[in-house]
Amino acid sequence: MSGTSAALTPPADARPPVRHPDAPAPGEPLGAHYDQCFGCGGGQPHGLHLEARAGEGVSLTAEFTVHSAHQGAPGLAHGGVLASALDEALGSLNWLLRLIAVTGRLETDFLLPVPVGTTLHLAAEVTAVAGRKIYARATGRMGGPDGTVAVRADALFIEVKVDHFVENGRPAEIEAAMSDPDQVRRARAFEVNP
């Protein structure tokens, strides 16, 4: 991305990302990390219901369709919703690293208006890792995976421990997630965003 801030430029000692050996195989759906997540959860009636699939390396593809509940200007997606879609896709990359991380910084460029009814095709990848910092970028295209770029973002995620969520989340939701007998669902509930 042109104009990316220094905070989103990996340091000289950053290393390439390494896909975790237990990460879903390329083409496999990543699924929702938490049912009540606005970005990917099925329990949110006006959420994005973003559907992500693992790609090669530490990358993924995802789709979401802009509905009338997502509009800002009449007939067009709200910019905050588009930023949320990019953030959700970028955050889901951490599942391929098997790290718990939160968004530290997100810079978004809005290139074209996105009409209601449009399916936005997202592609995201981790570009570098430096200590607890994870650098990533994403694009959102209209008209298909090779269509016109409408939005793009660069992001910095910070690896955290599950305590970050336990100490800051609402107790009822934290307790429900922590008591889930499914180990994978329990781990995924804490994978992205504070």
Side-chain angles (χ1 to χ4, degrees), residues 49-67:
H49 302 152
L50 191 122
E51 298 176 12
R53 291 190 173 275
E56 297 293 331
V58 186
S59 71
L60 60 75
T61 58
E63 294 182 359
F64 93 94
T65 301
V66 178
H67 296 289

mmCIF file of all heavy atoms in Angstrom, residues 49-67:
data_model
loop_
_atom_site.group_PDB
_atom_site.id
_atom_site.type_symbol
_atom_site.label_atom_id
_atom_site.label_comp_id
_atom_site.label_asym_id
_atom_site.label_seq_id
_atom_site.Cartn_x
_atom_site.Cartn_y
_atom_site.Cartn_z
ATOM 1 N N HIS A 49 -21.335 -11.863 8.712
ATOM 2 C CA HIS A 49 -21.369 -13.289 8.366
ATOM 3 C C HIS A 49 -20.261 -13.627 7.379
ATOM 4 O O HIS A 49 -20.467 -14.370 6.420
ATOM 5 C CB HIS A 49 -22.748 -13.697 7.836
ATOM 6 C CG HIS A 49 -23.835 -13.416 8.808
ATOM 7 N ND1 HIS A 49 -25.122 -13.165 8.429
ATOM 8 C CD2 HIS A 49 -23.838 -13.311 10.166
ATOM 9 C CE1 HIS A 49 -25.871 -12.928 9.496
ATOM 10 N NE2 HIS A 49 -25.103 -13.006 10.558
ATOM 11 N N LEU A 50 -19.080 -13.057 7.628
ATOM 12 C CA LEU A 50 -17.936 -13.251 6.765
ATOM 13 C C LEU A 50 -17.545 -14.721 6.753
ATOM 14 O O LEU A 50 -17.462 -15.352 7.805
ATOM 15 C CB LEU A 50 -16.776 -12.409 7.294
ATOM 16 C CG LEU A 50 -15.592 -12.287 6.372
ATOM 17 C CD1 LEU A 50 -15.336 -10.815 6.090
ATOM 18 C CD2 LEU A 50 -14.383 -12.908 7.006
ATOM 19 N N GLU A 51 -17.335 -15.254 5.573
ATOM 20 C CA GLU A 51 -16.955 -16.656 5.410
ATOM 21 C C GLU A 51 -15.536 -16.705 4.868
ATOM 22 O O GLU A 51 -15.292 -16.327 3.723
ATOM 23 C CB GLU A 51 -17.915 -17.362 4.464
ATOM 24 C CG GLU A 51 -19.343 -17.398 4.977
ATOM 25 C CD GLU A 51 -20.325 -18.012 3.999
ATOM 26 O OE1 GLU A 51 -19.883 -18.619 3.001
ATOM 27 O OE2 GLU A 51 -21.531 -17.877 4.237
ATOM 28 N N ALA A 52 -14.594 -17.178 5.696
ATOM 29 C CA ALA A 52 -13.182 -17.218 5.311
ATOM 30 C C ALA A 52 -12.736 -18.649 5.036
ATOM 31 O O ALA A 52 -13.206 -19.595 5.669
ATOM 32 C CB ALA A 52 -12.323 -16.610 6.417
ATOM 33 N N ARG A 53 -11.800 -18.768 4.091
ATOM 34 C CA ARG A 53 -11.174 -20.054 3.759
ATOM 35 C C ARG A 53 -9.665 -19.886 3.796
ATOM 36 O O ARG A 53 -9.135 -18.869 3.355
ATOM 37 C CB ARG A 53 -11.576 -20.532 2.365
ATOM 38 C CG ARG A 53 -13.028 -20.926 2.271
ATOM 39 C CD ARG A 53 -13.337 -21.629 0.939
ATOM 40 N NE ARG A 53 -14.686 -22.129 0.961
ATOM 41 C CZ ARG A 53 -15.051 -23.301 1.486
ATOM 42 N NH1 ARG A 53 -14.149 -24.083 2.007
ATOM 43 N NH2 ARG A 53 -16.305 -23.681 1.488
ATOM 44 N N ALA A 54 -8.996 -20.899 4.333
ATOM 45 C CA ALA A 54 -7.540 -20.869 4.385
ATOM 46 C C ALA A 54 -6.977 -20.849 2.968
ATOM 47 O O ALA A 54 -7.502 -21.509 2.064
ATOM 48 C CB ALA A 54 -7.025 -22.096 5.135
ATOM 49 N N GLY A 55 -5.916 -20.089 2.799
ATOM 50 C CA GLY A 55 -5.194 -20.049 1.526
ATOM 51 C C GLY A 55 -3.847 -20.730 1.681
ATOM 52 O O GLY A 55 -3.592 -21.432 2.669
ATOM 53 N N GLU A 56 -2.971 -20.501 0.731
ATOM 54 C CA GLU A 56 -1.604 -21.016 0.802
ATOM 55 C C GLU A 56 -0.813 -20.163 1.787
ATOM 56 O O GLU A 56 -1.100 -18.984 1.978
ATOM 57 C CB GLU A 56 -0.946 -20.957 -0.580
ATOM 58 C CG GLU A 56 -1.615 -21.817 -1.636
ATOM 59 C CD GLU A 56 -1.485 -23.304 -1.359
ATOM 60 O OE1 GLU A 56 -0.489 -23.724 -0.734
ATOM 61 O OE2 GLU A 56 -2.394 -24.049 -1.762
ATOM 62 N N GLY A 57 0.209 -20.737 2.401
ATOM 63 C CA GLY A 57 1.032 -19.986 3.338
ATOM 64 C C GLY A 57 0.181 -19.451 4.479
ATOM 65 O O GLY A 57 -0.637 -20.171 5.046
ATOM 66 N N VAL A 58 0.346 -18.182 4.804
ATOM 67 C CA VAL A 58 -0.459 -17.556 5.849
ATOM 68 C C VAL A 58 -1.344 -16.523 5.160
ATOM 69 O O VAL A 58 -1.134 -15.316 5.243
ATOM 70 C CB VAL A 58 0.416 -16.947 6.963
ATOM 71 C CG1 VAL A 58 -0.461 -16.448 8.107
ATOM 72 C CG2 VAL A 58 1.420 -17.972 7.489
ATOM 73 N N SER A 59 -2.306 -17.054 4.414
ATOM 74 C CA SER A 59 -3.244 -16.210 3.671
ATOM 75 C C SER A 59 -4.632 -16.830 3.740
ATOM 76 O O SER A 59 -4.794 -17.989 4.101
ATOM 77 C CB SER A 59 -2.802 -16.066 2.211
ATOM 78 O OG SER A 59 -2.990 -17.282 1.510
ATOM 79 N N LEU A 60 -5.622 -16.015 3.384
ATOM 80 C CA LEU A 60 -6.997 -16.516 3.325
ATOM 81 C C LEU A 60 -7.783 -15.704 2.308
ATOM 82 O O LEU A 60 -7.354 -14.633 1.868
ATOM 83 C CB LEU A 60 -7.670 -16.459 4.708
ATOM 84 C CG LEU A 60 -7.832 -15.119 5.419
ATOM 85 C CD1 LEU A 60 -8.950 -14.257 4.832
ATOM 86 C CD2 LEU A 60 -8.129 -15.369 6.881
ATOM 87 N N THR A 61 -8.908 -16.241 1.961
ATOM 88 C CA THR A 61 -9.889 -15.516 1.165
ATOM 89 C C THR A 61 -11.194 -15.531 1.944
ATOM 90 O O THR A 61 -11.428 -16.419 2.770
ATOM 91 C CB THR A 61 -10.108 -16.159 -0.220
ATOM 92 O OG1 THR A 61 -10.531 -17.518 -0.041
ATOM 93 C CG2 THR A 61 -8.833 -16.110 -1.054
ATOM 94 N N ALA A 62 -12.021 -14.537 1.701
ATOM 95 C CA ALA A 62 -13.292 -14.445 2.415
ATOM 96 C C ALA A 62 -14.278 -13.674 1.562
ATOM 97 O O ALA A 62 -13.890 -12.952 0.638
ATOM 98 C CB ALA A 62 -13.097 -13.751 3.757
ATOM 99 N N GLU A 63 -15.537 -13.834 1.900
ATOM 100 C CA GLU A 63 -16.597 -13.100 1.215
ATOM 101 C C GLU A 63 -17.612 -12.620 2.230
ATOM 102 O O GLU A 63 -17.829 -13.276 3.253
ATOM 103 C CB GLU A 63 -17.324 -14.000 0.213
ATOM 104 C CG GLU A 63 -16.498 -14.449 -0.932
ATOM 105 C CD GLU A 63 -17.296 -15.310 -1.914
ATOM 106 O OE1 GLU A 63 -18.501 -15.564 -1.684
ATOM 107 O OE2 GLU A 63 -16.705 -15.730 -2.910
ATOM 108 N N PHE A 64 -18.202 -11.484 1.921
ATOM 109 C CA PHE A 64 -19.393 -11.078 2.641
ATOM 110 C C PHE A 64 -20.223 -10.216 1.698
ATOM 111 O O PHE A 64 -19.704 -9.544 0.814
ATOM 112 C CB PHE A 64 -19.072 -10.379 3.969
ATOM 113 C CG PHE A 64 -18.979 -8.885 3.896
ATOM 114 C CD1 PHE A 64 -20.080 -8.097 4.187
ATOM 115 C CD2 PHE A 64 -17.799 -8.276 3.549
ATOM 116 C CE1 PHE A 64 -19.991 -6.711 4.127
ATOM 117 C CE2 PHE A 64 -17.698 -6.897 3.492
ATOM 118 C CZ PHE A 64 -18.796 -6.116 3.776
ATOM 119 N N THR A 65 -21.521 -10.300 1.876
ATOM 120 C CA THR A 65 -22.445 -9.547 1.043
ATOM 121 C C THR A 65 -22.978 -8.363 1.841
ATOM 122 O O THR A 65 -23.411 -8.516 2.983
ATOM 123 C CB THR A 65 -23.605 -10.442 0.565
ATOM 124 O OG1 THR A 65 -23.041 -11.532 -0.179
ATOM 125 C CG2 THR A 65 -24.562 -9.667 -0.325
ATOM 126 N N VAL A 66 -22.923 -7.191 1.222
ATOM 127 C CA VAL A 66 -23.400 -5.964 1.861
ATOM 128 C C VAL A 66 -24.930 -5.964 1.819
ATOM 129 O O VAL A 66 -25.529 -6.022 0.738
ATOM 130 C CB VAL A 66 -22.843 -4.717 1.136
ATOM 131 C CG1 VAL A 66 -23.378 -3.444 1.779
ATOM 132 C CG2 VAL A 66 -21.324 -4.732 1.138
ATOM 133 N N HIS A 67 -25.562 -5.919 2.990
ATOM 134 C CA HIS A 67 -27.020 -5.882 3.098
ATOM 135 C C HIS A 67 -27.469 -4.477 3.481
ATOM 136 O O HIS A 67 -26.661 -3.625 3.862
ATOM 137 C CB HIS A 67 -27.501 -6.899 4.127
ATOM 138 C CG HIS A 67 -27.207 -8.312 3.722
ATOM 139 N ND1 HIS A 67 -27.860 -8.953 2.699
ATOM 140 C CD2 HIS A 67 -26.289 -9.193 4.197
ATOM 141 C CE1 HIS A 67 -27.388 -10.176 2.558
ATOM 142 N NE2 HIS A 67 -26.421 -10.354 3.453
#
